[in-house]
Amino acid sequence: MQTNKKNHQKILTKLGISELNPMQIKAHQVINETRDTVLLSPTGTGKTLGFLMPLLGLLDSELDQVQAIVLVPSRELAIQIEQVTREIGSGFKTNAVYGGRAFAKDKTELNHPPAILIGTPGRVADHIRRNTFSVEAIRTLILDEFDKSLEVGFMAEMSEIIGSLTNLEKRILTSATQEIEIPKFTGVKDPTILNYLKGGKPQLQIKTVPVPGRNKLPGLKKLINQDPNATGIVFCNFKDSIAEVSDFLNKNKISHACFFGGMEQKERERALIKFRNGSHRIIIATDLAARGIDVPELDFIIHYQLPFKDQEFTHRNGRTARMNSEGTAYVLHGENENLPDFIKPNPHGWDQLDNVGNTGNKFGDQTTLFISGGRKDKISKGDIAGLFLKQGNLNKEELGLIELKQDCAFVAVPALKAEALIASLNNSKLKKKKVRIRNV
């Protein structure tokens, strides 16, 4: 059951894409034609769409059972894939399950089985043990960023899950890492390997930035303020360091979000939403943000703290200069801090930064509003846009990115107009639901 050209074009139109990139086209062809596929491609190159498009052609719309499982290393990646699957309007029910949310909520959603189940290995294994859903009709397994799942300790759960899937016909593994060993428990045999890790020509510059003494914060401020319209991630190794950097940026009125494992899932999601819609231009994060999160193209990343391993350095850098775009990775290091062997000195030159201060920027001009209604209320992005443009009297260019979730939505609006919009639009009706609107 292959997706026809008409449906294919309909999906691309919904995503605002004119055509698939070469990697996605090849992946579509190979996944359709082979039993086992390994797709190696840099972070941010569209691997999700690369496996989703052919997957839809493998599903049976008449079958009311789980037919495909997508295993991912993080909650963020599960949510991201679920959102893309829903945005393309596939017609197939999709659910994401992961730790950090009520098991009972999963169970309620799985009472009506999705065709595609996305989840972290720990939570999916738990559901299989409890027979929450049947595995009989599962013919396709996708291990997305599978090396990361192994790295964070999901080997036992992945092995258990795959061992229970006795009717598998197709396996698809994806990774952004070059030299990986495929474990035997995956059941992958003689796979077709699509390697795009060296295919693109990203223009990544790596610059080392020496700072006097031990205090890197003044150097960080200079780097961030080089271009007040540039977006980037500041990588730290520990959440205490994130708190220190965040306090410093707050004092210097630099718009930012934080992202690390100890945060509530809801707060992590909202940090990414605010970053995507331009309410923030900087994220301070641990290596949790090095892979598997959905953020727009970045102008730079900053290693505020040096990564411990070569692999971490590579994945952090992979957040910028994706495919054929340009980007810079800055490595801040104190005068007594030795660079590891995998980072070659390439001084940035402080003379370029000496006169940079807190100049005005386009960020901080927008803020994010929460709307208490979503897809399950039959609310569309068009409904929300209409409310803000007609009733809220916003100009079209003032209305920012709208993100629609199952039970809520978020919209970026001019910060100066936020309070007036809340006052005039709160408790408005969207479809048949009265919605609350407030600042996030």
Side-chain angles (χ1 to χ4, degrees), residues 118-130:
I118 307 154
T120 49
R123 181 55 66 98
V124 172
D126 200 4
H127 278 292
I128 289 175
R129 288 182 209 119
R130 300 189 197 197

Side-chain angles (χ1 to χ4, degrees), residues 53-345:
M53 293 292 276
L55 172 61
L56 298 179
L58 300 170
L59 303 176
D60 182 350
S61 58
E62 301 297 316
L63 195 58
D64 190 23
Q65 291 188 58
V66 180
Q67 300 175 54
I69 283 189
V70 184
L71 294 181
V72 295
S74 69
R75 306 169 193 174
E76 283 71 32
L77 190 50
I79 293 164
Q80 176 188 326
I81 296 170
E82 180 186 37
Q83 191 166 335
V84 172
T85 309
R86 286 179 171 163
E87 280 178 2
I88 64 182
S90 67
F92 292 101
K93 186 172 188 276
T94 303
N95 285 116
V97 297
Y98 43 84
R101 75 175 209 156
F103 192 90
K105 190 175 180 182
D106 285 356
K107 204 168 178 183
T108 300
E109 290 183 351
L110 296 178
N111 279 337
H112 174 45
I116 304 169
L117 181 65
I118 307 154
T120 49
R123 181 55 66 98
V124 172
D126 200 4
H127 278 292
I128 289 175
R129 288 182 209 119
R130 300 189 197 197
N131 296 312
T132 310
F133 61 89
S134 169
V135 298
E136 290 303 308
I138 297 172
R139 301 285 185 267
T140 305
L141 170 70
I142 298 168
L143 305 181
D144 195 20
E145 301 281 12
F146 79 94
D147 57 309
K148 183 67 177 174
S149 289
L150 295 174
E151 189 182 304
V152 296
F154 281 133
M155 182 179 286
E157 291 89 346
M158 291 168 77
S159 180
E160 180 185 349
I161 292 165
I162 295 169
S164 72
L165 305 179
T166 53
N167 296 319
L168 278 181
E169 295 174 356
K170 203 173 283 283
R171 295 166 174 82
I172 303 155
L173 280 62
T174 85
S175 175
T177 302
Q178 180 74 259
E179 294 178 7
I180 46 166
E181 187 176 335
I182 300 171
K184 286 184 180 178
F185 67 73
T186 61
V188 170
K189 295 172 184 173
D190 301 319
T192 300
I193 298 175
L194 300 178
N195 190 346
Y196 286 84
L197 291 176
K198 293 179 181 178
K201 295 181 181 177
Q203 304 299 309
L204 174 67
Q205 291 189 72
I206 298 175
K207 298 283 189 179
T208 51
V209 185
V211 295
R214 294 182 178 179
N215 187 3
K216 298 181 181 181
L217 291 171
L220 176 66
K221 176 184 168 185
K222 287 183 178 182
L223 282 177
I224 288 174
N225 281 332
Q226 282 182 111
D227 180 352
N229 291 324
T231 58
I233 297 179
V234 177
F235 281 104
C236 298
N237 294 335
F238 309 104
K239 67 178 181 181
D240 289 350
S241 308
I242 289 177
E244 178 190 11
V245 172
S246 181
D247 287 344
F248 175 80
L249 295 189
N250 281 330
K251 285 174 187 171
N252 285 275
K253 295 185 169 64
I254 296 174
S255 160
H256 68 279
C258 297
F259 188 87
F260 56 89
M263 293 172 68
E264 289 287 328
Q265 179 62 27
K266 182 171 74 172
E267 294 308 312
R268 275 158 53 173
E269 281 184 57
R270 291 186 180 184
L272 295 179
I273 287 167
K274 288 182 178 183
F275 187 69
R276 284 194 290 264
N277 70 26
S279 294
H280 294 312
R281 73 178 185 102
I282 304 291
I283 289 184
I284 316 165
T286 58
D287 284 317
L288 185 66
R291 284 201 278 174
I293 61 169
D294 181 21
V295 294
E297 184 61 50
L298 303 178
D299 299 300
F300 65 87
I301 64 106
I302 298 173
H303 301 273
Y304 178 75
Q305 290 180 309
L306 300 179
F308 297 118
K309 297 176 184 174
D310 187 2
Q311 198 174 51
E312 292 166 1
F313 185 61
T314 300
H315 288 310
R316 288 181 181 185
N317 293 344
R319 298 309 316 184
T320 187
R322 302 186 202 172
M323 290 299 274
N324 299 312
S325 62
E326 296 181 359
T328 307
Y330 297 103
V331 182
L332 274 171
H333 61 104
E335 60 187 8
N336 296 319
E337 195 172 22
N338 294 323
L339 292 173
D341 292 340
F342 53 81
I343 302 177
K344 306 302 176 192

Side-chain angles (χ1 to χ4, degrees), residues 3 8-9 11-13 15-29 32 45-54 88 323:
T3 49
H8 178 103
Q9 195 51 53
I11 288 169
L12 296 184
T13 302
L15 293 173
I17 300 168
S18 58
E19 59 185 15
L20 296 176
N21 65 38
M23 176 272 287
Q24 293 165 335
I25 292 169
K26 187 66 176 175
H28 197 154
Q29 176 200 334
N32 280 331
T45 53
K47 290 192 292 293
T48 300
L49 208 53
F51 64 70
L52 270 184
M53 293 292 276
I88 64 182
M323 290 299 274

Side-chain angles (χ1 to χ4, degrees), residues 336-364:
N336 296 319
E337 195 172 22
N338 294 323
L339 292 173
D341 292 340
F342 53 81
I343 302 177
K344 306 302 176 192
N346 183 25
H348 182 49
W350 278 108
D351 57 323
Q352 300 173 44
L353 308 176
D354 283 340
N355 298 318
V356 178
N358 271 328
T359 55
N361 65 76
K362 68 178 181 183
F363 293 89

